[in-house]
């Protein structure tokens, strides 16, 4: 990824902060100079901690000025990793607070995109399929005070008020619509982006097999492999599939997770996509663990790829310690 600015986006609880930290860590391992800044910090180089602007036009001018100042002061030898200030904050303000239509939001975000283009920015969007599931998962951590505050913010003004939304369900509808608008904006403006999703399609699966020269199974087998996976993640560059990782768990998130397919299109290998996709997946597996649990991640390494998997923390299984790994192929 040739860039000086990476911004991680997605809905609350989708893993933006964790993913931003992972990206910064991977870049540091490669010897890059990295500045990773989370949302809401007082001394953010490109954003404000408090959004107490009296009206949108005042806000727009201040935010655009802040971005311009950041670009002028940025170090061209540094890669900056930010969290949610390209889409989330502008959408929360334009859509949720001021009730503006998606065209107005897109025009504002396009202005930001134009200002930052000299840094060749890349957006990483975490597209979780189930908004309610994400919010319910983080509720235990953030508590009811947080939930009540965000519900009030979303339903008492702007979009929520215009559409007579109320309560928890109204908040979820706000987030679902915001996600739809954000993805459409990404597709429509001139900026490079990747999405991490969970909606693998058979044709995309076959495309990835072809991209690395693997013999492609039948469409029916591919469909079954997707549907019977415990969890699947897919990375798209813009709308084109570039990587996937599919997992099977032996017994209700029990003792063993097996990595079934891990494919990165040859064109996109060596660009950190594989490392980040794996770490993203491992974080999901960790989220399923209960206190004092341990699980084993098993895989069969393609010949010549051992070094890559060792870099992810895997160890080689030696015959005199574990016995031989074995397989048997049968045909119908």
């Amino acid at each position: 990824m040739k860039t000086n600015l990476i911004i991680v986006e997605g809905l609350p609880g989708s893993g933006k902060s964790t993913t931003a930290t992972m990206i910064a860590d991977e870049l540091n391992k490669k010897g890059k100079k990295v500045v990773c800044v989370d949302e809401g910090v007082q001394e953010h180089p490109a954003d404000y901690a408090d959004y107490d602007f009296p009206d949108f036009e005042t806000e727009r001018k201040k935010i655009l000025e802040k971005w311009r100042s950041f670009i002028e002061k940025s170090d061209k030898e540094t890669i900056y990793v930010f969290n949610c200030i390209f889409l989330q904050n502008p959408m929360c303000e334009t859509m949720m607070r001021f009730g503006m239509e998606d065209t107005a939001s897109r025009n504002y975000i396009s202005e930001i995109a134009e200002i930052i283009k000299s840094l060749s920015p890349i957006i990483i969007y975490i597209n979780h399929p189930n908004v309610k599931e994400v919010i319910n998962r983080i509720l235990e951590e953030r508590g009811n005070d947080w939930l009540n505050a965000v519900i009030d913010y979303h339903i008492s003004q702007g979009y929520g008020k215009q559409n007579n939304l109320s309560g928890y369900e109204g908040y979820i509808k706000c987030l679902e619509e915001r996600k739809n608008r954000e993805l459409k904006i990404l597709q429509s403006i001139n900026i490079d982006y990747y999405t991490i999703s969970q909606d693998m399609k058979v044709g995309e699966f076959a495309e990835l097999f072809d991209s690395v020269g693997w013999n492609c199974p039948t469409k029916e087998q591919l469909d079954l492999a997707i549907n019977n996976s415990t969890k699947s993640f897919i990375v798209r560059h813009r709308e084109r599939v570039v990587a996937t990782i599919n997992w099977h768990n032996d017994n209700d998130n029990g003792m063993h997770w097996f990595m079934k397919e891990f494919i990165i299109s040859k064109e996109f290998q060596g660009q950190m996509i594989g490392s980040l996709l794996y770490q993203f997946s491992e974080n999901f597996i960790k989220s399923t663990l209960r206190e004092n649990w341990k699980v084993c991640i098993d895989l069969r390494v393609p010949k010549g790829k051992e070094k890559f998997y060792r870099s992810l923390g895997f160890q080689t299984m030696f015959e005199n310690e574990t016995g031989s790994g074995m397989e048997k192929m049968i045909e119908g």
Side-chain angles (χ1 to χ4, degrees), residues 30-45:
K30 294 180 179 295
K32 304 293 185 181
K33 184 179 177 182
V34 184
V35 172
C36 184
V37 188
D38 204 357
E39 63 175 314
V41 299
Q42 288 295 329
E43 301 302 323
H44 200 296

Side-chain angles (χ1 to χ4, degrees), residues 128-129 133 198 229-233 245-248 257 284:
H128 197 285
E133 180 181 290
Q198 300 177 36
S229 294
T230 305
K231 202 68 171 179
S232 296
F233 298 97
I245 185 168
N246 298 314
W247 296 93
H248 178 73
W257 285 82
F284 164 76

Side-chain angles (χ1 to χ4, degrees), residues 118-161:
S118 63
L119 297 187
S120 301
I122 293 175
I123 310 301
I124 309 292
Y125 194 97
I126 304 171
N127 180 17
H128 197 285
N130 190 317
V131 174
K132 185 177 290 187
E133 180 181 290
V134 174
I135 298 303
N136 288 341
R137 189 178 65 211
I138 63 172
L139 180 55
E140 184 175 336
E141 172 190 341
R142 300 189 182 183
N144 286 325
D145 288 344
W146 167 82
L147 181 63
N148 291 334
V150 294
I151 287 175
D152 181 67
Y153 175 86
H154 284 78
I155 67 172
S156 65
Q157 56 184 346
Y159 178 83
K161 190 174 182 179

Side-chain angles (χ1 to χ4, degrees), residues 28-297:
N28 277 316
K29 289 177 185 176
K30 294 180 179 295
K32 304 293 185 181
K33 184 179 177 182
V34 184
V35 172
C36 184
V37 188
D38 204 357
E39 63 175 314
V41 299
Q42 288 295 329
E43 301 302 323
H44 200 296
D47 197 27
Y48 291 92
D50 300 312
Y51 273 65
D52 55 354
F53 306 103
D55 54 66
F56 174 68
E57 193 53 37
T58 300
E59 176 177 327
R60 172 182 164 275
K61 290 178 180 178
K62 289 287 187 181
I63 295 296
L64 296 182
E65 286 173 3
K66 188 80 170 183
W67 274 114
R68 292 188 186 101
S69 175
F70 162 66
I71 295 300
E72 290 173 2
K73 297 175 183 177
S74 63
D75 176 12
K76 299 306 184 285
E77 300 301 316
T78 297
I79 300 176
Y80 298 87
V81 183
F82 294 158
N83 180 6
C84 80
I85 65 171
F86 180 72
L87 289 176
Q88 175 179 284
N89 290 1
M91 290 300 293
C92 281
E93 293 295 288
T94 58
M95 175 185 173
M96 299 305 175
R97 182 182 174 192
F98 295 111
M100 298 164 68
E101 295 296 327
D102 53 351
T103 300
S105 299
R106 183 174 65 250
N107 290 341
Y108 174 43
I109 292 167
S110 295
E111 288 186 283
I112 299 173
E114 182 66 22
I115 293 170
I116 64 178
K117 69 179 182 180
S118 63
L119 297 187
S120 301
I122 293 175
I123 310 301
I124 309 292
Y125 194 97
I126 304 171
N127 180 17
H128 197 285
N130 190 317
V131 174
K132 185 177 290 187
E133 180 181 290
V134 174
I135 298 303
N136 288 341
R137 189 178 65 211
I138 63 172
L139 180 55
E140 184 175 336
E141 172 190 341
R142 300 189 182 183
N144 286 325
D145 288 344
W146 167 82
L147 181 63
N148 291 334
V150 294
I151 287 175
D152 181 67
Y153 175 86
H154 284 78
I155 67 172
S156 65
Q157 56 184 346
Y159 178 83
K161 190 174 182 179
Q162 290 168 355
N163 290 275
N164 299 312
L165 300 179
S166 62
Y168 174 78
E169 292 299 328
Y171 170 52
I172 297 299
K173 288 181 179 179
C174 285
L175 292 183
E176 290 173 340
E177 177 61 21
R178 196 193 100 193
K179 184 180 79 165
N180 290 336
R181 293 189 186 190
E182 288 175 349
L183 290 170
K184 288 179 181 178
I185 288 171
L186 276 179
Q187 293 168 17
S188 66
I189 64 176
N190 185 26
I191 199 162
D192 200 14
Y193 72 92
Y194 293 81
T195 56
I196 304 174
S197 307
Q198 300 177 36
D199 58 343
M200 170 70 78
K201 299 176 177 63
V202 170
E204 292 178 317
F205 206 7
E207 184 179 337
L208 283 173
F209 268 79
D210 291 339
S211 75
V212 293
W214 292 2
N215 291 326
C216 189
T218 67
K219 181 179 178 181
E220 183 181 15
Q221 281 184 295
L222 291 174
D223 189 46
L224 287 170
I226 294 170
N227 291 330
N228 291 330
S229 294
T230 305
K231 202 68 171 179
S232 296
F233 298 97
I234 179 172
V235 176
R236 296 182 179 94
H237 177 237
R238 301 194 71 89
E239 300 307 302
R240 175 189 170 193
V241 59
V242 299
T244 190
I245 185 168
N246 298 314
W247 296 93
H248 178 73
N249 178 254
D250 63 337
N251 182 23
D252 191 25
N253 300 336
M255 295 183 293
H256 286 266
W257 285 82
F258 180 69
M259 187 189 297
K260 300 199 302 173
E261 296 91 15
F262 189 7
I263 313 173
I264 303 99
S265 175
K266 282 188 176 180
E267 182 182 343
F268 288 84
Q269 292 178 12
Q271 300 185 39
M272 290 198 337
I273 292 172
S275 298
L276 293 174
L277 180 56
Y278 172 77
Q279 295 292 349
F280 190 88
S281 296
E282 186 177 284
N283 282 337
F284 164 76
I285 293 174
K286 288 178 180 177
S287 75
T288 69
L289 302 184
R290 302 175 190 173
E291 188 175 359
N292 298 321
W293 274 27
K294 291 182 179 179
V295 300
C296 181
I297 295 177

